Amino acid sequence: MEVTGLAAVLLATALLLVVVSAVQPVARRLEVSETVLLALVGIVIGGGADLVIRGTYTEKIPTVAGTALNGVAETLLDFPISSEVFLLVFLPVLVFQGALAIDVRRLADEAATVLLLAVVAVLVSTATIGFALFPFAGMPLVICLLLGSIVATTDPSAVAGIFRDIGASSRLTRLVEGEALLNDAAAIAIFATLLEAVTAHRSIAIGSAALSFVISFAGAIAIGILGARLMLYMITVLGNAPAAETTLTVALPYIVYIVCDEIIGVSGVVATAAAGLTMSVYGPSTFRPQTWRFLNELWQQLVFWAGSLVFVLASMLIPRLLVGMTRWDIVLILLSSVAGLVARGAVVFGLLPILSWTRLAPPVPNPFKVTMVWGGLRGAITLALALAVTENPHISTPVAHFVGIIATGFVLITLLLNGTTLRSVVLFLKLDQLSAIDQALRHQVLSIALEKVADRAKETGEELGFSSDAMRPVIDGLEVRAHEERSANTFDTDLADRQRVTLALITIASQEKSILLDIFRIQGISRRVMETLLRTTEAMIDGARLEGRFGYVRALRRRLKPSVRFRVAQFVHSWMHYDKPLMGAMAERFEMLMVGHLVSISLARFLRESMEPTLGTRVSEIVAETLARQRKMLDEALVALRMHYPGYSEALETRIFRQIVLRLEGQQIDDMHAESLISDELFRELHREVDRRRARLERRMTFNLRNNIEDRLQGALVFRGLPAAALHDLSMSASLRFPSVGESLLKRGHKVKTVYFVSAGRAEMHVKERDILFGAGDLIGALELLEGQPMPGTVRTVQFGHMLAIPAARFLRLMDDYPVMRKNLEAAVRARADHEINAVHLLGAGEEHEPQGQPATRYLAASKE
């Protein structure tokens, strides 16, 4: 019975997947690119099917087998594949996964280089190839330029695969993959403009085309980012639903691609790339680590299927596209290939040095440039665009014939010549070797690791009862290798202390990221908090890589500063007296500081146990000092909050500890199940119980923003004697401030509009070469307000604080309503006069056993001399 229709298509697809799965191990064994081998297989399949249909060989085969063979050949030749299928079904998957796998923050350093290769190189290649063909092709210039735009798209899959196989520089791989993200978009945009001009028989307006190009890119980027952010928001609303979250990521690229390409009219490729990059940035802090890992594995599998099928199916069309090729066509193919190579070389060697000279991008070494020029392979997208021309009913047959043959021949030359020799070029240029830092670190790390392995191997062998004769050659081999690595170790001489400190800080920040992801597995930790911590950790890695210890510390301080959301909530609280946004922001800040505190303890232990043997005592001490500074800043911020919210602090710590215990309990259940100590039914029941208790912990805790404020006011000297109702009203009506280190409260020469009661933290003011400190219990700006004087200096915080901001009018009214406050002020002045202080700048309002106001009075005595 003959298989026809949809069943035949599905069967052919399944057989192609079988072929694809066999190609991968064969390519590794032959040490050739999988993409090149897939293209060859596709050409063989397409040519073989055409040969079967056109030939008479099947007449010699038995009827059933011959009929089946003819049916398979007809199905392959009539496979329902078109340029639209390539661009709508496969392209979104390839672009999205490519963006998802990129380290966006590392790519940002190469933004100028990537844009040059992705946009300028496409324009230059289109023009160079078009003008090179124009005198010889016998076609109008617009047709030659159309062909140039088709073959200007580079395919990174073969190149990146070769780089990964031989261990080429990660920067080189990043440049190639980053270029490919926008390369297709630029080429397709130019192709669409030229194709429209050809089919409409009208000239091209350069100005309007350029404006349309810019609008298409900018609009697509905005839509892609917006679509990804909306999807991430949906994931936070869904809660912990891994299947639903993964499904949303599969839907996202098709939604943004089709909406942009078919409805709005901007670049769908750029929108898909922007969505993938947004997911790459915010995904690790939005998805649970296990879900994020599964999601990446799923997309790698999807792109393997899509990429492999694209190359096989596109290559199957090559024999059909080359039908009718003449000797002159071969000349034109060679001419276009040389022009494309020259254009790419001119951009890479001519324009990249300008970027480094203007400091818009890091310099690119010459071996990288050679590899990037020779690695400009063309592939499935070029064939899909050529197919779109041949399928267009408004394109004449000679034009379709010209475009189809030249584009296909161009692809074959790059794949069969460049693709097969690229590995040799990379090895010849020694781009597979480690950097000097990594090479020095390799000997250092490996020598220490081998010594530990030898010790553990000896203990394990003795415990398991292996004979000494069986163990001796293995352990001796490990010790010999460790000795060889120690002898070759040049870590101390090759790397200066500054380089080792930078390397250590990058390692510490990377370890922090790993710890944070491990903590994130504990359900109940806020996604927004984890997003902030992971994002700032990436900034710390980049800061250490670019500026060493200074960059690391600066990124750390930026983490502790209030976020935009916190500042907006603070504004709403101060001016609209609406506390809910600030309560949510404070709860997240409390949680962030608590998690950061736990991580800092783990990092100190990691430095002491794992890094000190590798880096040495001196470098470890420098890094330990940096970590101690980090720990101090976290502790100061936490102390200010714990002082006012002790109940919430204890409850939060208890909840986090319970979550850790629940995770340990879940791991123990998994271990018992793996060891067959419990049945499947009991395993599921125990996990359901753990999940029920974890769900109870996920309920949001109530944060009382004004907790403990009234008690602090009652203990202040200046407010003693005020009725409880007045203090309660003040605590409820005045706004709260949570200033970070270095924040300005009152500026020099400005009149006082707000008096600050320091509940926790410290501030300072510099007046006449003196630093004046204000501590817990002080009033800042009170005396200047009463005397109608401007501030003599700018007051800035030197610790994270908790302050009550009292409007000037409210403070003056309070003084008028309760004369006892003036008596308290006068009593404080007399008391400080006993200490030979002539005047008071800011009346200290601390508890009697904490004379924090004295530094301010010493300042005033000096200033009035």
Side-chain angles (χ1 to χ4, degrees):
M1 181 176 177
E2 187 176 356
V3 180
T4 58
L6 180 61
V9 173
L10 291 176
L11 179 60
T13 303
L15 292 175
L16 288 177
L17 287 174
V18 172
V19 172
V20 164
S21 65
V23 164
Q24 189 179 45
V26 172
R28 289 180 179 175
R29 180 169 297 181
L30 297 177
E31 293 188 347
V32 298
S33 168
E34 292 178 24
T35 305
V36 174
L37 192 55
L38 285 170
L40 292 175
V41 168
I43 294 172
V44 170
I45 292 174
D50 187 66
L51 189 64
V52 168
I53 295 298
R54 296 175 184 273
T56 58
Y57 306 101
T58 56
E59 296 177 358
K60 301 177 183 180
I61 301 176
T63 306
V64 176
T67 302
L69 187 59
N70 278 322
V72 170
E74 291 175 359
T75 300
L76 291 174
L77 288 178
D78 297 332
F79 203 85
I81 193 73
S82 64
S83 60
E84 189 176 33
V85 172
F86 280 121
L87 297 177
L88 286 180
V89 176
F90 294 116
L91 188 57
V93 175
L94 299 174
V95 172
F96 186 79
Q97 195 278 335
L100 192 67
I102 282 182
D103 186 341
V104 179
R105 291 178 176 86
R106 298 291 299 277
L107 184 65
D109 299 333
E110 312 282 359
T113 304
V114 169
L115 287 174
L116 179 73
L117 295 173
V119 180
V120 177
V122 169
L123 290 169
V124 173
S125 296
T126 299
T128 303
I129 295 171
F131 281 101
L133 288 174
F134 177 57
F136 308 100
M139 290 285 172
L141 179 60
V142 67
I143 300 298
C144 296
L145 292 174
L146 178 66
L147 176 64
S149 69
I150 290 173
V151 298
T153 60
T154 59
D155 193 308
S157 54
V159 182
I162 292 174
F163 289 168
R164 282 191 291 268
D165 288 344
I166 63 178
S169 166
S170 59
R171 185 189 176 197
L172 184 58
T173 305
R174 189 165 58 249
L175 286 174
V176 172
E177 292 178 338
E179 172 196 359
L181 279 180
L182 299 179
N183 182 287
D184 291 341
I188 291 172
I190 298 172
F191 167 80
T193 301
L194 293 170
L195 183 62
E196 183 182 358
V198 170
T199 55
H201 303 286
R202 60 178 176 79
S203 60
I204 302 173
I206 301 297
S208 62
L211 180 62
S212 175
F213 183 82
V214 172
I215 293 175
S216 177
F217 259 65
I221 290 174
I223 294 172
I225 294 174
L226 178 62
R229 293 297 289 174
L230 287 174
M231 191 212 69
L232 291 169
Y233 175 75
M234 288 182 63
I235 288 172
T236 59
V237 172
L238 288 174
N240 187 28
E245 294 171 1
T246 306
T247 303
L248 285 174
T249 66
V250 175
L252 175 63
Y254 289 102
I255 292 173
V256 296
Y257 185 93
I258 294 173
V259 166
C260 289
D261 215 48
E262 302 292 332
I263 299 176
I264 300 177
V266 296
S267 175
V269 178
V270 173
T272 306
L277 292 173
T278 305
M279 283 286 298
S280 177
V281 173
Y282 297 105
S285 58
T286 302
F287 295 89
R288 296 291 172 189
Q290 56 270 33
T291 305
W292 180 248
R293 185 169 54 252
F294 169 74
L295 187 149
N296 278 279
E297 292 172 354
L298 171 65
W299 273 102
Q300 289 172 8
Q301 186 63 58
L302 288 175
V303 84
F304 172 73
W305 290 335
S308 302
L309 287 176
V310 160
F311 262 93
V312 172
L313 293 173
S315 301
M316 285 167 53
L317 300 172
I318 288 178
R320 189 190 314 173
L321 291 171
L322 291 178
V323 171
M325 183 175 66
T326 63
R327 293 181 179 179
W328 186 243
D329 289 331
I330 296 176
V331 174
L332 295 179
I333 290 171
L334 293 175
L335 179 62
S336 62
S337 300
V338 172
L341 195 63
V342 169
R344 189 167 177 82
V347 172
V348 171
F349 283 96
L351 297 183
L352 284 183
I354 297 177
L355 291 182
S356 59
W357 178 69
T358 56
R359 297 184 179 180
L360 292 174
V364 178
N366 284 329
F368 280 26
K369 295 176 184 176
V370 172
T371 307
M372 291 163 67
V373 171
W374 193 248
L377 309 185
R378 273 62 169 181
I381 303 303
T382 298
L383 293 175
L385 295 180
L387 187 62
V389 173
T390 62
E391 293 174 345
N392 195 313
H394 302 290
I395 300 293
S396 64
T397 301
V399 171
H401 176 83
F402 167 74
V403 170
I405 287 179
I406 306 303
T408 304
F410 196 107
V411 171
L412 283 176
I413 286 182
T414 59
L415 286 177
L416 300 181
L417 178 61
N418 302 55
T420 55
T421 58
L422 182 60
R423 178 188 294 267
S424 300
V425 171
V426 174
L427 294 175
F428 175 76
L429 296 174
K430 299 180 179 180
L431 296 178
D432 59 323
Q433 297 182 1
L434 295 174
S435 65
I437 291 180
D438 287 337
Q439 189 67 35
L441 185 62
R442 176 190 183 277
H443 296 302
Q444 175 85 345
V445 171
L446 200 54
S447 62
I448 296 173
L450 288 173
E451 290 176 356
K452 292 182 178 179
V453 170
D455 293 338
R456 292 183 60 185
K458 186 176 181 180
E459 293 176 3
T460 303
E462 292 174 350
E463 181 181 344
L464 297 177
F466 285 92
S467 65
S468 57
D469 292 336
M471 293 166 52
R472 187 179 301 111
V474 178
I475 295 176
D476 288 347
L478 289 171
E479 292 175 347
V480 168
R481 288 177 59 198
H483 177 72
E484 292 174 350
E485 294 295 338
R486 279 196 305 272
S487 301
N489 187 6
T490 57
F491 184 76
D492 293 333
T493 57
D494 286 0
L495 300 182
D497 282 351
R498 184 173 181 179
Q499 289 177 304
R500 282 187 281 170
V501 169
T502 298
L503 181 64
L505 291 175
I506 293 173
T507 305
I508 282 289
S510 301
Q511 175 67 12
E512 179 171 352
K513 181 178 179 181
S514 177
I515 294 172
L516 286 171
L517 290 173
D518 193 50
I519 292 176
F520 194 33
R521 292 187 178 93
I522 305 172
Q523 298 177 13
I525 301 296
S526 169
R527 292 177 187 265
R528 197 193 304 272
V529 168
M530 196 55 60
E531 178 181 309
T532 301
L533 289 170
L534 287 173
R535 187 171 63 248
T536 52
T537 300
E538 292 282 0
M540 289 156 65
I541 295 174
D542 293 339
R545 183 178 291 112
L546 296 175
E547 301 177 277
R549 184 164 51 160
F550 175 75
Y552 178 91
V553 173
R554 185 169 62 179
L556 174 62
R557 287 176 175 170
R558 197 178 301 125
R559 166 192 282 184
L560 296 176
K561 288 184 177 180
S563 63
V564 174
R565 180 171 178 266
F566 188 94
R567 289 196 293 268
V568 170
Q570 182 81 63
F571 174 82
V572 171
H573 164 76
S574 300
W575 294 95
M576 302 180 186
H577 301 288
Y578 182 57
D579 293 345
K580 190 171 182 180
L582 186 57
M583 288 166 62
M586 280 299 301
E588 289 177 359
R589 181 169 177 78
F590 218 137
E591 188 173 1
M592 184 190 75
L593 293 173
M594 192 75 70
V595 173
H597 175 75
L598 297 175
V599 171
S600 68
I601 296 174
S602 299
L603 289 178
R605 184 171 61 250
F606 172 74
L607 174 66
R608 184 173 59 255
E609 296 177 357
S610 301
M611 293 187 64
E612 187 171 347
T614 303
L615 299 173
T617 304
R618 175 176 171 76
V619 174
S620 296
E621 287 176 352
I622 297 174
V623 177
E625 180 185 352
T626 304
L627 291 179
R629 188 184 307 175
Q630 172 182 349
R631 178 85 171 270
K632 181 182 178 183
M633 286 190 289
L634 285 168
D635 287 347
E636 287 176 352
L638 265 177
V639 165
L641 292 177
R642 279 173 167 161
M643 182 184 297
H644 291 277
Y645 308 105
Y648 186 87
S649 173
E650 183 179 348
L652 180 61
E653 285 189 83
T654 301
R655 189 180 74 163
I656 292 176
F657 185 66
R658 283 180 176 172
Q659 289 163 342
I660 293 173
V661 171
L662 281 176
R663 186 186 172 201
L664 294 176
E665 186 176 342
Q667 289 176 340
Q668 185 62 35
I669 294 170
D670 292 338
D671 293 342
M672 289 190 295
H673 182 255
E675 295 171 0
S676 301
L677 295 176
I678 56 177
S679 64
D680 293 342
E681 293 80 8
L682 181 55
F683 171 75
R684 289 192 293 269
E685 174 59 29
L686 292 176
H687 260 299
R688 279 195 293 268
E689 177 60 28
V690 170
D691 291 339
R692 281 194 293 268
R693 281 184 282 142
R694 183 179 287 119
R696 290 196 293 268
L697 289 176
E698 289 180 357
R699 295 171 187 167
R700 200 169 178 84
M701 295 171 57
T702 303
F703 186 85
N704 183 1
L705 190 64
R706 299 185 179 275
N707 183 58
N708 208 33
I709 293 296
E710 194 171 341
D711 294 339
R712 300 291 292 179
L713 292 175
Q714 288 175 352
L717 177 61
V718 72
F719 295 117
R720 287 184 182 177
L722 268 65
L727 292 177
H728 175 76
D729 183 54
L730 178 62
S731 67
M732 297 302 294
S733 60
S735 60
L736 299 176
R737 284 285 299 273
F738 304 93
S740 59
V741 176
E743 186 174 339
S744 176
L745 298 175
L746 297 172
K747 294 185 178 180
R748 179 181 179 181
H750 289 207
K751 289 187 176 182
V752 177
K753 296 181 179 179
T754 304
V755 174
Y756 292 96
F757 170 71
V758 184
S759 184
R762 288 193 304 167
E764 70 176 7
M765 178 173 62
H766 184 76
V767 178
K768 290 191 176 182
E769 300 181 356
R770 291 175 180 268
D771 290 327
I772 314 306
L773 296 179
F774 306 99
D778 283 341
L779 279 174
I780 303 176
L783 189 59
E784 286 78 8
L785 176 62
L786 294 176
E787 295 179 352
Q789 298 294 325
M791 289 297 297
T794 298
V795 181
R796 289 187 175 88
T797 55
V798 293
Q799 278 186 354
F800 292 93
H802 185 289
M803 300 184 182
L804 193 68
I806 309 172
R810 177 64 192 276
F811 185 80
L812 292 174
R813 188 167 64 251
L814 202 63
M815 295 286 290
D816 293 336
D817 291 343
Y818 300 100
V820 68
M821 287 185 62
R822 289 187 178 275
K823 293 181 180 180
N824 291 339
L825 291 172
E826 294 170 0
V829 171
R830 287 194 300 269
R832 286 171 178 172
D834 294 339
H835 294 280
E836 298 180 353
I837 297 177
N838 299 321
V840 179
H841 164 61
L842 292 176
L843 185 60
E847 287 101 7
E848 292 178 329
H849 61 280
E850 295 178 351
Q852 288 95 340
Q854 289 184 12
T857 58
R858 284 198 296 271
Y859 143 69
L860 191 56
S863 66
K864 298 230 176 173
E865 289 176 355

